[in-house]
Amino acid sequence: MARPKFQVGDTVRIKDRTTLFHTRTQKFIRKRVGTIVEHRPEWVIPEDEAWDRMETGRKEPFYVIRFKQTELWPDYTGLAHDTLETEASESWLEAVKG
Amino acid sequence: MAKHHGDGHHDGHNAFDVSSKVSEFEILELAVRELAIEKGIFSAEDHRRFAEWAEGVGPHGGSKLVAKAWSDPAFKQRLLENGTEACKEVGIDWLQPTGVGTPSDYTFFYVLENTPQVHNVIVCTLCSCYPRPVLGMSPDWYRTPSYRRRMVRRPREVLAEFGLHLPADVEVRVHDSNQKSRFMVMPMRPEGTEGWSEEQLARIVTRDTMIGVALPRADRTSDAGSLAEQAR
């Protein structure tokens, strides 16, 4: 079990990586900044699971990231304290100094 | 063409035609299923039992979980800490949901507790991930691109379309279940339910209240109930 690189409360940015094939990292969270709110168990990343590489696929820790809706959508019509949570594996995240 | 004008609205509107057409996805499903059966991955009987289970499961398990949590603070704690384990107490096993060894893609289950400050709502923008062992099959609207695109982007408008207007001091928290986790909302226990039994409580915890597009009420026991009331 790899030690998770990020801790609850850390500020992270979702990378905008090239994805030739399958991924489960949504376009609308890429390049956006959020806060880690929970750890999730280590698992084969979807990019490898899609090819059924359950034994040989890359395993990574997963995180729940909470975004302010106004960070995701510049024209957000709701209220400033509204949020969205979703999950990503570690290699999609980069630390943001803050 | 002018002489056909009168019945023009029948064009492409033959219900029998539509139902007799087999979509590409149906053909794909059939082909993959037949291959899996031929390869011995599962049997036709396994498949039938899974389909029977999936179609019959319904949201009752979820209602039971919420009613029990409202009645028993210790159970509520267990449910919030380890949803998958706590489900076994009401007879739901996420790892073997059908009890017949059919592999499951449901892996981790988390219950989202509503509070006076935070209202939770679930969506899956990538496909239609849904906590089937506790809520059964998802409603058709949950799988539409309209709900999936708009719930993440304009949640308050979408909730208002369901008749749910939340006060400005409540944070709307959308959960996009894009990975291995499946979520269910635990609504707040409404007023007027003091002294109720778990069975009574379970009846007002409808599917929509556990998706997060409605709130339970003491006088509402069905997601269609409010429509019936309006029609009266």
Side-chain angles (χ1 to χ4, degrees):
Chain A
M1 189 92 182
R3 236 182 108 186
K5 190 171 149 194
F6 300 104
Q7 301 311 314
V8 169
D10 285 359
T11 307
V12 292
R13 179 182 285 107
I14 313 297
K15 294 178 194 169
D16 188 20
R17 298 196 311 194
T18 306
T19 41
L20 272 179
F21 301 110
H22 181 76
T23 183
R24 297 193 71 86
T25 303
Q26 311 91 316
K27 267 267 153 56
F28 74 88
I29 63 168
R30 305 218 189 153
K31 296 196 231 177
R32 304 298 180 190
V33 173
T35 307
I36 306 276
V37 289
E38 271 180 83
H39 287 117
R40 289 288 191 244
E42 204 178 70
W43 198 262
V44 177
I45 59 174
E47 290 80 357
D48 286 353
E49 190 186 9
W51 301 93
D52 200 25
R53 292 176 188 149
M54 298 310 289
E55 304 300 323
T56 57
R58 291 162 289 180
K59 284 187 176 172
E60 289 181 21
F62 282 75
Y63 301 87
V64 183
I65 305 122
R66 184 181 299 164
F67 300 91
K68 290 258 181 207
Q69 285 280 25
T70 50
E71 164 75 8
L72 297 175
W73 318 106
D75 59 348
Y76 185 65
T77 53
L79 295 165
H81 53 254
D82 290 348
T83 56
L84 178 139
E85 289 185 7
T86 193
E87 298 172 3
S89 72
E90 192 165 276
S91 59
W92 278 97
L93 308 179
E94 60 187 18
V96 174
K97 285 191 190 124
Chain B
M1 291 302 285
K3 66 182 175 184
H4 295 301
H5 180 79
D7 60 358
H9 66 282
H10 287 300
D11 292 345
H13 190 33
N14 188 329
F16 295 101
D17 257 10
V18 172
S19 62
S20 67
K21 268 180 201 149
V22 181
S23 76
E24 282 184 30
F25 284 112
E26 285 173 283
I27 294 167
L28 182 64
E29 184 274 326
L30 198 64
V32 172
R33 190 208 312 172
E34 284 179 352
L35 279 171
I37 291 169
E38 278 175 34
K39 280 178 167 285
I41 296 170
F42 55 78
S43 70
E45 168 69 5
D46 287 340
H47 179 269
R48 187 203 60 75
R49 285 165 79 173
F50 181 81
E52 187 181 33
W53 170 82
E55 285 159 20
V57 68
H60 316 292
S63 311
K64 226 191 258 184
L65 288 173
V66 174
K68 196 171 165 62
W70 282 347
S71 312
D72 178 353
F75 176 75
K76 178 174 157 182
Q77 201 59 36
R78 292 198 293 280
L79 183 61
L80 293 173
E81 276 167 13
N82 190 339
T84 321
E85 271 303 303
C87 275
K88 291 180 184 165
E89 295 185 42
V90 299
I92 297 164
D93 185 345
W94 279 73
L95 297 178
Q96 294 287 337
T98 58
V100 296
T102 308
S104 166
D105 67 341
Y106 324 117
T107 312
F108 308 111
F109 175 54
Y110 300 95
V111 175
L112 310 163
E113 185 186 16
N114 280 353
T115 69
Q117 291 80 38
V118 178
H119 177 85
N120 296 288
V121 58
I122 62 171
V123 62
C124 173
T125 51
L126 296 177
C127 43
S128 56
C129 298
Y130 192 70
R132 282 194 281 175
V134 292
L135 295 190
M137 299 292 270
S138 57
D140 289 342
W141 53 258
Y142 184 88
R143 300 190 291 268
T144 60
S146 171
Y147 178 80
R148 286 154 47 198
R149 286 176 191 151
R150 294 166 64 239
M151 183 47 88
V152 290
R153 198 182 175 111
R154 303 185 188 280
R156 283 182 189 265
E157 282 97 316
V158 177
L159 292 175
E161 289 166 17
F162 282 97
L164 181 57
H165 301 266
L166 293 163
D169 59 351
V170 172
E171 169 189 334
V172 173
R173 189 176 291 165
V174 177
H175 298 260
D176 185 358
S177 45
N178 67 330
Q179 304 279 355
K180 288 288 167 191
S181 306
R182 299 292 175 268
F183 304 100
M184 184 191 99
V185 176
M186 185 198 298
M188 286 187 288
R189 182 170 176 166
E191 287 175 11
T193 59
E194 294 77 16
W196 284 23
S197 69
E198 276 184 36
E199 283 91 54
Q200 278 177 298
L201 289 170
R203 260 177 251 139
I204 62 166
V205 186
T206 62
R207 177 196 70 201
D208 287 0
T209 69
M210 294 180 281
I211 295 175
V213 297
L215 297 179
R217 285 190 346 214
D219 60 349
R220 182 176 167 280
T221 54
S222 140
D223 286 326
S226 51
L227 266 182
E229 282 155 30
Q230 280 169 25
R232 230 179 275 150

